[in-house]
Amino acid sequence: MVRWTSSGKEGAGPGPPIMVELLAVKAGLLLFVESGWSSRGRLILENDCANAFDWIKNPGSCTAVLESLVKDIVSIVLDRNVIVWNIQRSANWETDELAKLGIGITPFKVESLVWRVLQCRVPVRSELRKRGVALPDISFPFCLLFPETIQHLFFSCAVSWKVWGTFFAMWGISTAFPSDPIGYAKSFESWLSPSRGFLKFNVNGAMQVDGSKGGIGGILRDQDGNLIMSFSAPIGSGSSVQAEILAIDFAIKLFMDSRWFKAYRLIVESDCAVVVNWLSNPSTILSEWASLLHPIIASLFQEKNLVNHISRRCNSLADQRAKQASGLASAVVEA
């Protein structure tokens, strides 16, 4: 199954909020239908608008003004056998933030570009050459004095500074950039607390280079950053990927057996992008890991829990516990 969580804001155009919520639902359904995922499984659609949910379940109760829109949605839901769930707004915060981008708080393209700059994923000439692209010259074409790096393109070049200066003058801003703007921005990267109604389990797996022994560790915290529970456990021999998967699995099972299970939903964060991507896109899972990952995916969907990727810098506490665990004789859980 594939899960689509939707939220609407007035950026969809003029109209009442309920119409915007319905437009968000319809947009999600159409995106799913047109994607490659529609042929791979059913869709679970979640929305935090109770009225929209009720109208989709009972089209006859819909107001006449929005009847046509609701019928379009219901038609797709029935045709594609979509499962529709109503969830609390506190559990829909990620989609809500994306919806807010649509009303001009921060344009999505700006968010995307900033992220790519900070992650050094802009295809400048120096990066292309590193990836094997044959380029006769990697000089920045605006000045022809230095290689075209992300740092030079956006911050160091005199031509770039003229562009920045024009906008700063227009906005009435006086500023100075640090010598390493990208590194400076990354220094503010930190662990983010979960929303109300959630607990967050940061996990990590560690394996010795020769694969002879490894460990897993995790830290469970609440919305105020308070430590709820932690664990360290040895896992024996294997691979680093296996360690990351086992860390996630252990954390979910530990949470489900705890007294907090019925009161909260869970966010699991791992710094292993490969495993997080597999859990988010099951069709990409390699066959050798399917038996380990499919039960995890089932528990995530069943309990409406989430799994996110986090940078290694923000996952240091879980990393420490994982590295300590390889020397333990048995698992240690502190609550």
Side-chain angles (χ1 to χ4, degrees):
M1 288 190 178
V2 179
R3 175 174 292 170
W4 174 273
T5 310
S6 68
S7 182
K9 296 293 177 185
E10 284 78 1
I18 181 63
M19 184 183 75
V20 182
E21 295 287 351
L22 291 169
L23 288 173
V25 170
K26 184 177 179 180
L29 289 170
L30 292 176
L31 186 63
F32 174 74
V33 169
E34 295 170 1
S35 72
W37 301 304
S38 60
S39 61
R40 300 175 184 174
R42 293 175 64 189
L43 176 70
I44 298 174
L45 189 144
E46 294 179 336
N47 183 271
D48 58 31
C49 180
N51 285 339
F53 175 80
D54 290 339
W55 286 351
I56 294 171
K57 289 290 187 180
N58 303 288
S61 63
C62 171
T63 179
V65 177
L66 299 174
E67 184 178 1
S68 176
L69 179 56
V70 172
K71 284 184 176 180
D72 289 343
I73 293 172
V74 172
S75 175
I76 300 173
V77 168
L78 295 177
D79 181 60
R80 297 287 175 166
N81 201 18
V82 176
I83 300 172
V84 182
W85 285 344
N86 179 233
I87 61 175
Q88 297 295 319
R89 181 160 296 179
S90 60
N92 204 29
W93 63 274
E94 290 178 305
T95 310
D96 187 61
E97 291 299 318
L98 289 174
K100 289 176 181 176
L101 294 178
I103 59 175
I105 295 177
T106 306
F108 180 74
K109 289 184 178 180
V110 174
E111 292 272 346
S112 176
L113 177 60
V114 170
W115 181 84
R116 291 172 66 188
V117 169
L118 293 178
Q119 300 299 321
C120 296
R121 295 190 179 183
V122 179
V124 294
R125 298 186 180 197
S126 60
E127 294 296 325
L128 291 175
R129 176 172 284 185
K130 289 179 184 178
R131 288 161 174 75
V133 178
L135 296 173
D137 183 15
I138 62 170
S139 298
F140 186 38
F142 285 179
C143 67
L144 299 176
L145 297 175
F146 298 95
E148 185 185 272
T149 63
I150 294 175
Q151 171 87 6
H152 189 73
L153 170 62
F154 288 99
F155 306 107
S156 303
C157 182
V159 177
S160 301
W161 262 110
K162 288 181 180 179
V163 175
W164 281 114
T166 300
F167 282 100
F168 289 153
M170 182 173 63
W171 296 330
I173 297 175
S174 297
T175 187
F177 280 175
S179 58
D180 180 13
I182 296 175
Y184 181 74
K186 284 186 174 182
S187 69
F188 290 94
E189 188 177 21
S190 61
W191 179 85
L192 297 177
S193 61
S195 298
R196 186 178 300 276
F198 282 85
L199 296 179
K200 180 178 286 188
F201 228 138
N202 285 85
V203 301
N204 196 51
M207 185 65 63
Q208 291 194 355
V209 177
D210 61 1
S212 60
K213 63 178 181 178
I216 57 176
I219 295 180
L220 182 67
R221 287 175 283 192
D222 64 15
Q223 64 186 30
D224 297 317
N226 297 318
L227 178 63
I228 303 296
M229 180 167 51
S230 67
F231 72 86
S232 295
I235 58 171
S237 60
S239 68
S240 58
V241 171
Q242 180 185 10
E244 298 286 356
I245 296 173
L246 292 176
I248 294 174
D249 185 51
F250 192 96
I252 293 174
K253 290 177 178 176
L254 195 61
F255 172 74
M256 292 178 68
D257 290 336
S258 73
R259 65 178 183 272
W260 300 287
F261 171 59
K262 293 184 178 180
Y264 295 92
R265 287 176 64 189
L266 180 66
I267 299 173
V268 181
E269 285 190 336
S270 167
D271 58 33
C272 183
V274 172
V275 174
V276 172
N277 181 63
W278 284 342
L279 293 173
S280 303
N281 304 282
S283 62
T284 64
I285 296 175
L286 299 180
S287 58
E288 61 189 289
W289 302 114
S291 61
L292 283 176
L293 289 169
H294 284 163
I296 297 176
I297 293 171
S299 63
L300 287 172
F301 276 122
Q302 182 178 354
E303 304 302 335
K304 299 185 181 180
N305 295 323
L306 306 173
V307 59
N308 293 333
H309 178 255
I310 188 174
S311 69
R312 186 158 297 178
R313 181 200 301 268
C314 300
N315 209 33
S316 58
L317 294 178
D319 182 61
Q320 291 174 10
R321 279 168 171 73
K323 290 177 178 176
Q324 294 167 357
S326 61
L328 298 175
S330 60
V332 175
V333 178
E334 299 176 352

